[in-house]
Amino acid sequence: MEGAAAVGGAGISEQTEHFLRLQILDVAGIERRKDVHISRSASMADLKTRHLAEEIAQGWLPRCVFQGRALTDVESVGALPRGSFIQCYLQRPQVREVEPEFFLGWAVLTGSRHGSPPLCSRRQDLAFHSAFAAALAVVWGAYFADAAPFDAFACFALRFFSVLWVAVCVLDFCWPRGTIAT
């Protein structure tokens, strides 16, 4: 009778506990293997918090994969076959840099308050605007000398970039440096 009860008890624990093999890899290529027993009703998040708690405390993000498919935290461990081999990749959290606003002048005009002034000096501004003014002078000179080669698009582009250059000049030279981003 006691032997039958022991066998019956082992059958119950086999039904409630699930055996899995973990292969844990970090970005340095260090590998370790771990055999774990966990409740069939547990989720992958439970598996991670119970058996990878030390790695999570060190700042690693575990990503578990079974047969080439990434396992989500809400998936049940019971859905995996008994004795499954799960690969757990440890990754450092991705730090994303905030992209600067590329059209800072337009951002100021629209009321945006985030961003920073461009990292260029007054000398660079002066060189850019001098070269652009020289190019505009050459094109305007060609236009006034003979307007026939200039079609409607060329005339529009010449006027548009001339007005745009004036607006950028005002933003670069007339606006105080520290007030653009505030």
Side-chain angles (χ1 to χ4, degrees), residues 129-171:
H129 289 292
S130 298
F132 206 88
L136 281 175
V138 167
V139 175
W140 275 107
Y143 176 74
F144 287 129
D146 185 16
F150 289 83
D151 61 355
F153 178 75
C155 291
F156 167 77
L158 182 58
R159 289 180 178 94
F160 174 78
F161 285 110
S162 297
V163 170
L164 185 65
W165 175 72
V166 170
V168 172
C169 274
V170 168
L171 286 174

Side-chain angles (χ1 to χ4, degrees), residues 23-148:
Q23 177 186 21
I24 304 165
L25 300 158
D26 66 12
V27 291
I30 299 172
E31 174 187 338
R32 37 188 194 103
R33 294 175 187 245
K34 191 175 189 180
D35 293 339
V36 299
H37 293 275
I38 191 164
S39 170
R40 291 183 62 81
S41 62
S43 66
M44 287 305 299
D46 296 333
L47 174 80
K48 290 177 186 178
T49 56
R50 289 182 192 155
H51 297 286
L52 300 172
E54 183 179 324
E55 290 83 358
I56 292 171
Q58 293 174 0
W60 293 99
L61 293 174
R63 307 279 186 230
C64 295
V65 176
F66 175 67
Q67 293 183 344
R69 183 179 64 85
L71 300 171
T72 63
D73 286 345
V74 295
E75 288 188 58
S76 174
V77 171
L80 300 173
R82 184 170 165 72
S84 294
F85 191 78
I86 298 174
Q87 296 171 325
C88 296
Y89 297 97
L90 301 175
Q91 301 173 334
R92 289 285 179 194
Q94 298 290 331
V95 177
R96 293 186 181 172
E97 293 182 18
V98 177
E99 293 183 20
E101 292 189 34
F102 291 105
F103 301 107
L104 190 57
W106 292 107
V108 169
L109 294 175
T110 60
S112 176
R113 298 217 178 247
H114 38 289
S116 59
L119 300 173
C120 58
S121 66
R122 290 277 188 199
R123 197 179 315 160
Q124 286 174 324
D125 285 343
L126 187 61
F128 167 76
H129 289 292
S130 298
F132 206 88
L136 281 175
V138 167
V139 175
W140 275 107
Y143 176 74
F144 287 129
D146 185 16

